PDB file of all heavy atoms in Angstrom:
ATOM      1  N   THR A1451     129.148  32.319 122.742  1.00  0.00           N
ATOM      2  CA  THR A1451     130.283  32.162 121.932  1.00  0.00           C
ATOM      3  C   THR A1451     130.189  30.898 121.141  1.00  0.00           C
ATOM      4  O   THR A1451     130.581  30.881 119.941  1.00  0.00           O
ATOM      5  CB  THR A1451     131.566  32.261 122.777  1.00  0.00           C
ATOM      6  OG1 THR A1451     131.640  33.499 123.408  1.00  0.00           O
ATOM      7  CG2 THR A1451     132.809  32.024 121.947  1.00  0.00           C
ATOM      8  N   ALA A1452     129.850  29.809 121.786  1.00  0.00           N
ATOM      9  CA  ALA A1452     129.791  28.546 121.028  1.00  0.00           C
ATOM     10  C   ALA A1452     128.842  28.589 119.828  1.00  0.00           C
ATOM     11  O   ALA A1452     129.131  28.085 118.762  1.00  0.00           O
ATOM     12  CB  ALA A1452     129.291  27.426 122.069  1.00  0.00           C
ATOM     13  N   LEU A1453     127.744  29.318 119.997  1.00  0.00           N
ATOM     14  CA  LEU A1453     126.700  29.387 118.892  1.00  0.00           C
ATOM     15  C   LEU A1453     127.292  30.196 117.725  1.00  0.00           C
ATOM     16  O   LEU A1453     127.200  29.886 116.538  1.00  0.00           O
ATOM     17  CB  LEU A1453     125.397  29.927 119.431  1.00  0.00           C
ATOM     18  CG  LEU A1453     124.302  29.941 118.352  1.00  0.00           C
ATOM     19  CD1 LEU A1453     124.035  28.586 117.827  1.00  0.00           C
ATOM     20  CD2 LEU A1453     123.023  30.500 119.010  1.00  0.00           C
ATOM     21  N   GLU A1454     127.970  31.367 118.107  1.00  0.00           N
ATOM     22  CA  GLU A1454     128.511  32.176 117.084  1.00  0.00           C
ATOM     23  C   GLU A1454     129.681  31.483 116.340  1.00  0.00           C
ATOM     24  O   GLU A1454     129.872  31.640 115.112  1.00  0.00           O
ATOM     25  CB  GLU A1454     129.014  33.537 117.639  1.00  0.00           C
ATOM     26  CG  GLU A1454     127.860  34.435 118.089  1.00  0.00           C
ATOM     27  CD  GLU A1454     128.293  35.826 118.431  1.00  0.00           C
ATOM     28  OE1 GLU A1454     129.415  36.220 118.051  1.00  0.00           O
ATOM     29  OE2 GLU A1454     127.488  36.538 119.078  1.00  0.00           O
ATOM     30  N   MET A1455     130.384  30.640 117.060  1.00  0.00           N
ATOM     31  CA  MET A1455     131.478  29.855 116.369  1.00  0.00           C
ATOM     32  C   MET A1455     130.871  28.820 115.438  1.00  0.00           C
ATOM     33  O   MET A1455     131.403  28.744 114.282  1.00  0.00           O
ATOM     34  CB  MET A1455     132.281  29.087 117.520  1.00  0.00           C
ATOM     35  CG  MET A1455     133.197  29.996 118.319  1.00  0.00           C
ATOM     36  SD  MET A1455     133.970  29.046 119.708  1.00  0.00           S
ATOM     37  CE  MET A1455     135.053  27.883 118.740  1.00  0.00           C
ATOM     38  N   ALA A1456     129.803  28.189 115.794  1.00  0.00           N
ATOM     39  CA  ALA A1456     129.166  27.225 114.910  1.00  0.00           C
ATOM     40  C   ALA A1456     128.631  27.882 113.682  1.00  0.00           C
ATOM     41  O   ALA A1456     128.744  27.402 112.539  1.00  0.00           O
ATOM     42  CB  ALA A1456     128.091  26.396 115.600  1.00  0.00           C
ATOM     43  N   ARG A1457     127.975  28.992 113.912  1.00  0.00           N
ATOM     44  CA  ARG A1457     127.431  29.742 112.743  1.00  0.00           C
ATOM     45  C   ARG A1457     128.535  30.305 111.882  1.00  0.00           C
ATOM     46  O   ARG A1457     128.504  30.248 110.604  1.00  0.00           O
ATOM     47  CB  ARG A1457     126.575  30.972 113.235  1.00  0.00           C
ATOM     48  CG  ARG A1457     125.269  30.586 113.929  1.00  0.00           C
ATOM     49  CD  ARG A1457     124.674  31.844 114.566  1.00  0.00           C
ATOM     50  NE  ARG A1457     123.343  31.662 115.074  1.00  0.00           N
ATOM     51  CZ  ARG A1457     122.709  32.503 115.921  1.00  0.00           C
ATOM     52  NH1 ARG A1457     123.372  33.561 116.316  1.00  0.00           N
ATOM     53  NH2 ARG A1457     121.529  32.230 116.383  1.00  0.00           N
ATOM     54  N   GLY A1458     129.604  30.770 112.492  1.00  0.00           N
ATOM     55  CA  GLY A1458     130.720  31.266 111.753  1.00  0.00           C
ATOM     56  C   GLY A1458     131.446  30.306 110.863  1.00  0.00           C
ATOM     57  O   GLY A1458     131.784  30.586 109.722  1.00  0.00           O
ATOM     58  N   VAL A1459     131.689  29.136 111.384  1.00  0.00           N
ATOM     59  CA  VAL A1459     132.386  28.114 110.580  1.00  0.00           C
ATOM     60  C   VAL A1459     131.543  27.613 109.437  1.00  0.00           C
ATOM     61  O   VAL A1459     131.979  27.265 108.355  1.00  0.00           O
ATOM     62  CB  VAL A1459     132.932  26.958 111.398  1.00  0.00           C
ATOM     63  CG1 VAL A1459     131.835  25.946 111.789  1.00  0.00           C
ATOM     64  CG2 VAL A1459     134.112  26.288 110.741  1.00  0.00           C
ATOM     65  N   ARG A1460     130.237  27.580 109.684  1.00  0.00           N
ATOM     66  CA  ARG A1460     129.288  27.149 108.608  1.00  0.00           C
ATOM     67  C   ARG A1460     129.323  28.202 107.528  1.00  0.00           C
ATOM     68  O   ARG A1460     129.374  27.906 106.311  1.00  0.00           O
ATOM     69  CB  ARG A1460     127.918  27.038 109.216  1.00  0.00           C
ATOM     70  CG  ARG A1460     126.898  26.567 108.206  1.00  0.00           C
ATOM     71  CD  ARG A1460     125.536  26.410 108.838  1.00  0.00           C
ATOM     72  NE  ARG A1460     124.545  26.177 107.816  1.00  0.00           N
ATOM     73  CZ  ARG A1460     123.267  26.580 107.873  1.00  0.00           C
ATOM     74  NH1 ARG A1460     122.888  27.351 108.866  1.00  0.00           N
ATOM     75  NH2 ARG A1460     122.416  26.385 106.951  1.00  0.00           N
ATOM     76  N   ALA A1461     129.310  29.528 107.869  1.00  0.00           N
ATOM     77  CA  ALA A1461     129.410  30.550 106.901  1.00  0.00           C
ATOM     78  C   ALA A1461     130.740  30.669 106.179  1.00  0.00           C
ATOM     79  O   ALA A1461     130.814  30.849 104.935  1.00  0.00           O
ATOM     80  CB  ALA A1461     129.080  31.928 107.547  1.00  0.00           C
ATOM     81  N   LEU A1462     131.750  30.402 106.883  1.00  0.00           N
ATOM     82  CA  LEU A1462     133.181  30.369 106.347  1.00  0.00           C
ATOM     83  C   LEU A1462     133.342  29.337 105.297  1.00  0.00           C
ATOM     84  O   LEU A1462     133.965  29.550 104.271  1.00  0.00           O
ATOM     85  CB  LEU A1462     134.132  30.206 107.439  1.00  0.00           C
ATOM     86  CG  LEU A1462     135.633  30.135 107.067  1.00  0.00           C
ATOM     87  CD1 LEU A1462     136.120  31.543 106.555  1.00  0.00           C
ATOM     88  CD2 LEU A1462     136.501  29.708 108.249  1.00  0.00           C
ATOM     89  N   THR A1463     132.821  28.116 105.538  1.00  0.00           N
ATOM     90  CA  THR A1463     133.123  26.981 104.702  1.00  0.00           C
ATOM     91  C   THR A1463     132.020  26.619 103.702  1.00  0.00           C
ATOM     92  O   THR A1463     132.134  25.891 102.775  1.00  0.00           O
ATOM     93  CB  THR A1463     133.342  25.679 105.511  1.00  0.00           C
ATOM     94  OG1 THR A1463     132.228  25.477 106.327  1.00  0.00           O
ATOM     95  CG2 THR A1463     134.527  25.967 106.472  1.00  0.00           C
ATOM     96  N   GLY A1464     130.791  27.144 103.994  1.00  0.00           N
ATOM     97  CA  GLY A1464     129.666  26.803 103.113  1.00  0.00           C
ATOM     98  C   GLY A1464     129.091  25.379 103.411  1.00  0.00           C
ATOM     99  O   GLY A1464     128.348  24.840 102.681  1.00  0.00           O
ATOM    100  N   ALA A1465     129.487  24.782 104.619  1.00  0.00           N
ATOM    101  CA  ALA A1465     129.000  23.457 104.975  1.00  0.00           C
ATOM    102  C   ALA A1465     127.548  23.514 105.370  1.00  0.00           C
ATOM    103  O   ALA A1465     126.995  24.562 105.781  1.00  0.00           O
ATOM    104  CB  ALA A1465     129.860  22.931 106.129  1.00  0.00           C
ATOM    105  N   ASP A1466     126.918  22.418 105.304  1.00  0.00           N
ATOM    106  CA  ASP A1466     125.454  22.251 105.671  1.00  0.00           C
ATOM    107  C   ASP A1466     125.345  22.376 107.221  1.00  0.00           C
ATOM    108  O   ASP A1466     124.381  22.863 107.735  1.00  0.00           O
ATOM    109  CB  ASP A1466     124.863  20.972 105.218  1.00  0.00           C
ATOM    110  CG  ASP A1466     124.874  20.877 103.711  1.00  0.00           C
ATOM    111  OD1 ASP A1466     124.269  21.720 103.065  1.00  0.00           O
ATOM    112  OD2 ASP A1466     125.491  19.916 103.178  1.00  0.00           O
ATOM    113  N   VAL A1467     126.387  21.865 107.918  1.00  0.00           N
ATOM    114  CA  VAL A1467     126.390  21.805 109.377  1.00  0.00           C
ATOM    115  C   VAL A1467     127.615  22.354 109.919  1.00  0.00           C
ATOM    116  O   VAL A1467     128.685  22.046 109.443  1.00  0.00           O
ATOM    117  CB  VAL A1467     126.153  20.326 109.908  1.00  0.00           C
ATOM    118  CG1 VAL A1467     126.033  20.303 111.380  1.00  0.00           C
ATOM    119  CG2 VAL A1467     124.958  19.665 109.270  1.00  0.00           C
ATOM    120  N   GLY A1468     127.554  23.262 110.894  1.00  0.00           N
ATOM    121  CA  GLY A1468     128.687  23.789 111.617  1.00  0.00           C
ATOM    122  C   GLY A1468     128.571  23.341 113.120  1.00  0.00           C
ATOM    123  O   GLY A1468     127.537  23.441 113.692  1.00  0.00           O
ATOM    124  N   VAL A1469     129.712  22.892 113.649  1.00  0.00           N
ATOM    125  CA  VAL A1469     129.722  22.524 115.071  1.00  0.00           C
ATOM    126  C   VAL A1469     130.901  23.197 115.730  1.00  0.00           C
ATOM    127  O   VAL A1469     131.937  23.484 115.063  1.00  0.00           O
ATOM    128  CB  VAL A1469     129.820  20.966 115.285  1.00  0.00           C
ATOM    129  CG1 VAL A1469     128.515  20.293 114.876  1.00  0.00           C
ATOM    130  CG2 VAL A1469     130.992  20.378 114.544  1.00  0.00           C
ATOM    131  N   SER A1470     130.807  23.446 117.001  1.00  0.00           N
ATOM    132  CA  SER A1470     131.873  24.167 117.751  1.00  0.00           C
ATOM    133  C   SER A1470     132.044  23.593 119.097  1.00  0.00           C
ATOM    134  O   SER A1470     131.192  22.997 119.707  1.00  0.00           O
ATOM    135  CB  SER A1470     131.519  25.597 117.836  1.00  0.00           C
ATOM    136  OG  SER A1470     130.343  25.815 118.646  1.00  0.00           O
ATOM    137  N   THR A1471     133.273  23.836 119.633  1.00  0.00           N
ATOM    138  CA  THR A1471     133.564  23.476 120.989  1.00  0.00           C
ATOM    139  C   THR A1471     134.295  24.619 121.656  1.00  0.00           C
ATOM    140  O   THR A1471     135.235  25.164 121.129  1.00  0.00           O
ATOM    141  CB  THR A1471     134.481  22.216 121.061  1.00  0.00           C
ATOM    142  OG1 THR A1471     135.705  22.468 120.447  1.00  0.00           O
ATOM    143  CG2 THR A1471     133.782  21.061 120.391  1.00  0.00           C
ATOM    144  N   THR A1472     133.949  24.953 122.909  1.00  0.00           N
ATOM    145  CA  THR A1472     134.721  25.925 123.692  1.00  0.00           C
ATOM    146  C   THR A1472     134.523  25.547 125.196  1.00  0.00           C
ATOM    147  O   THR A1472     133.411  25.276 125.618  1.00  0.00           O
ATOM    148  CB  THR A1472     134.225  27.371 123.422  1.00  0.00           C
ATOM    149  OG1 THR A1472     135.005  28.202 124.204  1.00  0.00           O
ATOM    150  CG2 THR A1472     132.782  27.569 123.763  1.00  0.00           C
ATOM    151  N   GLY A1473     135.660  25.503 125.868  1.00  0.00           N
ATOM    152  CA  GLY A1473     135.541  25.040 127.278  1.00  0.00           C
ATOM    153  C   GLY A1473     136.888  25.169 127.979  1.00  0.00           C
ATOM    154  O   GLY A1473     137.885  25.680 127.529  1.00  0.00           O
ATOM    155  N   ILE A1474     136.876  24.702 129.240  1.00  0.00           N
ATOM    156  CA  ILE A1474     138.057  24.749 130.149  1.00  0.00           C
ATOM    157  C   ILE A1474     138.439  23.281 130.378  1.00  0.00           C
ATOM    158  O   ILE A1474     137.887  22.553 131.122  1.00  0.00           O
ATOM    159  CB  ILE A1474     137.649  25.359 131.532  1.00  0.00           C
ATOM    160  CG1 ILE A1474     137.117  26.783 131.231  1.00  0.00           C
ATOM    161  CG2 ILE A1474     138.844  25.478 132.367  1.00  0.00           C
ATOM    162  CD1 ILE A1474     136.496  27.470 132.442  1.00  0.00           C
ATOM    163  N   ALA A1475     139.559  22.907 129.636  1.00  0.00           N
ATOM    164  CA  ALA A1475     140.050  21.470 129.737  1.00  0.00           C
ATOM    165  C   ALA A1475     140.868  21.278 130.954  1.00  0.00           C
ATOM    166  O   ALA A1475     141.055  20.164 131.389  1.00  0.00           O
ATOM    167  CB  ALA A1475     140.782  21.154 128.493  1.00  0.00           C
ATOM    168  N   GLY A1476     141.449  22.320 131.585  1.00  0.00           N
ATOM    169  CA  GLY A1476     142.235  22.111 132.826  1.00  0.00           C
ATOM    170  C   GLY A1476     143.647  21.820 132.545  1.00  0.00           C
ATOM    171  O   GLY A1476     144.115  21.744 131.358  1.00  0.00           O
ATOM    172  N   PRO A1477     144.423  21.500 133.579  1.00  0.00           N
ATOM    173  CA  PRO A1477     143.964  21.395 134.947  1.00  0.00           C
ATOM    174  C   PRO A1477     143.726  22.746 135.605  1.00  0.00           C
ATOM    175  O   PRO A1477     143.078  22.855 136.643  1.00  0.00           O
ATOM    176  CB  PRO A1477     145.168  20.609 135.667  1.00  0.00           C
ATOM    177  CG  PRO A1477     146.313  20.991 134.881  1.00  0.00           C
ATOM    178  CD  PRO A1477     145.868  21.052 133.406  1.00  0.00           C
ATOM    179  N   GLY A1478     144.263  23.834 135.001  1.00  0.00           N
ATOM    180  CA  GLY A1478     143.984  25.164 135.568  1.00  0.00           C
ATOM    181  C   GLY A1478     142.966  25.889 134.772  1.00  0.00           C
ATOM    182  O   GLY A1478     142.416  25.386 133.744  1.00  0.00           O
ATOM    183  N   GLY A1479     142.686  27.099 135.169  1.00  0.00           N
ATOM    184  CA  GLY A1479     141.810  27.959 134.405  1.00  0.00           C
ATOM    185  C   GLY A1479     140.386  28.008 134.901  1.00  0.00           C
ATOM    186  O   GLY A1479     139.558  28.765 134.376  1.00  0.00           O
ATOM    187  N   GLY A1480     139.974  27.130 135.789  1.00  0.00           N
ATOM    188  CA  GLY A1480     138.597  27.084 136.224  1.00  0.00           C
ATOM    189  C   GLY A1480     138.271  28.135 137.299  1.00  0.00           C
ATOM    190  O   GLY A1480     139.197  28.716 137.960  1.00  0.00           O
TER     191      GLY A1480
END
């Protein structure tokens, strides 16, 4: 999912670099 997000935002904006974050910040959900 992280890779598809990075690719997707790069395609959406036309930027040279796309970066993404996805995770479990807590305190619940783990």
